[in-house]
Amino acid sequence: MNNKLITYIRELYQTNDFIPLHAPTFGGNELAYVSETITSTFVSSVGKFVDNFEQKITDYTHTEKAVATVNGTAALHTALYMSDVRRGDLVITQALTFVATCNALYHIGAEPIFVDVSPVSLGLCPKAVEEYLIENSVIRENACFHKKTGQRIKAAIPMHTFGHPVELDELVKVCDKWHLTLIEDAAESLGSFYKGKHTGTIGRFGAVSFNGNKIVTTGGGGIVLCKSLEDGLHTKHITTTAKVPHPYEFFHDEPGFNFRMPNLNAALGCAQMESLPMFLQQKRRIAELYQNFFSDSDYQFVTEPEYAQSNYWLNAVICPDVKSRDTLLDKTNKSGVMTRPIWKLMHRLPAFKNAMRGNLSYSEFIEAHLVNLPSTPVI
């Protein structure tokens, strides 16, 4: 299996050189737009490309307003702040996620409650959330509180793992019932749709990443998707130091953040958005080829849920056991084909080892069996 897979991937990418997990793809107007920012001298927080990029994302996702930030973690931090999550609050999320989800909680002073993921999506499981809340929480005065600690459970953050949308209708119902704000960690899911709606637009806020390994990159960057225009305008205000517009005076009417995306990064993003439809087409083709390769094996390729259209950001396969997973990782990486295991579960990291959690049996299974495969678009 391993040698056959290595040969298959090398034929797919038509190279005997090192094959990364996911590299940025540049072939459009990236150089022209970035050069324009340098020529204009508007490379920092002021310039036309920031506005253009925000509008492109707004139009593509059909959200009310998109606000560009310096990275995806800053976007999620902003979404938490705008959702009135404060120090000492609890937020339900998945242990099977990238550490940025929990870092954003840490820096705002909130604490995670880890709940299991769903076999349907590999994202936060609505049934597991409901079961945890029934057993461990109580509603008082239209707010949810933890029975043992008395802390407010303020929000839930599902993460669309590898771009596969979670079961959002069910999560919305649970959040509405228990008075939780739904914030979507859509860091990996630009170009993914849940029942025709773009991920990150169904909760009150969504946070997207444009890191160098994402389907669209700005080098470093993120964006907050805002369901209401009022939230969007306020989000833009606080991420730009809460400065009140004036020809020359500096007046800031509330505490704010300097989370502004530089014009130089936004220029790169504008060019990348022009290529997004092609990226998505290529990535779905790669996923189809992987699915066909594993179809007659005891390795299970991870496919999009029936209700969704995924961007297939990172392709993944579930190995039959831990030994086969480790062998696959060892053989491919020694051969110059980059594969990787999924992230360590968050409660295994020192910073979050004492966090409250429910049953994480399926998360633990995926942690021990899943391998990510090279997923760069083939242009």
Side-chain angles (χ1 to χ4, degrees), residues 48-168:
K48 71 175 186 179
F49 285 109
V50 176
D51 292 337
N52 290 349
F53 185 58
E54 289 179 340
Q55 191 60 53
K56 282 179 180 289
I57 297 294
T58 299
D59 293 343
Y60 182 80
T61 61
H62 296 289
T63 193
E64 282 298 316
K65 186 169 179 60
V67 179
T69 59
V70 69
N71 55 49
T73 306
L76 187 54
H77 185 126
T78 302
L80 288 162
Y81 182 85
M82 285 293 300
S83 299
D84 194 35
V85 176
R86 296 294 185 267
R87 184 167 301 279
D89 286 343
L90 300 174
V91 175
I92 293 176
T93 192
Q94 53 204 71
L96 189 79
T97 187
F98 182 58
V99 71
T101 308
C102 294
N103 282 343
L105 290 171
Y106 175 84
H107 288 295
I108 210 164
E111 301 172 30
I113 298 174
F114 295 127
V115 175
D116 213 356
V117 295
S118 166
V120 175
S121 68
L122 301 186
L124 191 63
C125 177
K127 292 181 181 178
V129 174
E130 178 90 88
E131 289 171 1
Y132 184 89
L133 289 169
I134 289 173
E135 183 176 350
N136 296 283
S137 68
V138 62
I139 295 174
R140 295 196 304 267
E141 298 179 357
N142 295 322
C144 186
F145 295 89
H146 198 277
K147 288 180 181 178
K148 290 184 178 179
T149 68
Q151 292 168 278
R152 182 179 64 163
I153 306 176
K154 178 59 182 175
I157 303 179
M159 198 270 285
H160 302 295
T161 308
F162 309 139
H164 300 301
V166 300
E167 299 153 275
L168 282 163

Side-chain angles (χ1 to χ4, degrees), residues 114-248:
F114 295 127
V115 175
D116 213 356
V117 295
S118 166
V120 175
S121 68
L122 301 186
L124 191 63
C125 177
K127 292 181 181 178
V129 174
E130 178 90 88
E131 289 171 1
Y132 184 89
L133 289 169
I134 289 173
E135 183 176 350
N136 296 283
S137 68
V138 62
I139 295 174
R140 295 196 304 267
E141 298 179 357
N142 295 322
C144 186
F145 295 89
H146 198 277
K147 288 180 181 178
K148 290 184 178 179
T149 68
Q151 292 168 278
R152 182 179 64 163
I153 306 176
K154 178 59 182 175
I157 303 179
M159 198 270 285
H160 302 295
T161 308
F162 309 139
H164 300 301
V166 300
E167 299 153 275
L168 282 163
D169 282 348
E170 292 80 359
L171 280 170
V172 167
K173 289 179 182 177
V174 173
C175 288
D176 286 348
K177 177 180 177 181
W178 293 90
H179 303 280
L180 307 181
T181 301
L182 180 63
I183 303 168
E184 296 176 63
D185 186 340
E188 304 171 355
S189 64
L190 182 69
S192 295
F193 293 83
Y194 173 83
K195 297 182 179 180
K197 297 179 180 180
H198 197 281
T199 53
T201 66
I202 295 170
R204 183 178 176 185
F205 296 99
V208 181
S209 171
F210 303 111
N211 188 40
N213 65 351
K214 297 301 189 291
I215 190 168
V216 159
T217 183
T218 58
I223 212 157
V224 186
L225 304 179
C226 307
K227 194 171 184 178
S228 78
L229 182 59
E230 181 182 4
D231 276 343
L233 294 174
H234 192 194
T235 298
K236 182 69 173 180
H237 184 60
I238 67 164
T239 55
T240 54
T241 71
K243 183 180 182 297
V244 177
H246 191 276
Y248 52 84

Side-chain angles (χ1 to χ4, degrees), residues 6 10 16-20 331-338:
I6 292 166
R10 290 208 172 279
N16 289 319
D17 296 333
F18 173 75
I19 299 175
K331 294 287 187 182
T332 51
N333 283 284
K334 283 182 177 178
S335 299
V337 175
M338 186 178 180

Side-chain angles (χ1 to χ4, degrees), residues 13 18-23 213 313-315 338-340 372-376:
Y13 284 98
F18 173 75
I19 299 175
L21 193 68
H22 196 294
N213 65 351
W313 171 58
L314 283 187
N315 291 294
M338 186 178 180
T339 60
R340 75 172 193 198
N372 287 125
L373 304 170
S375 303
T376 305

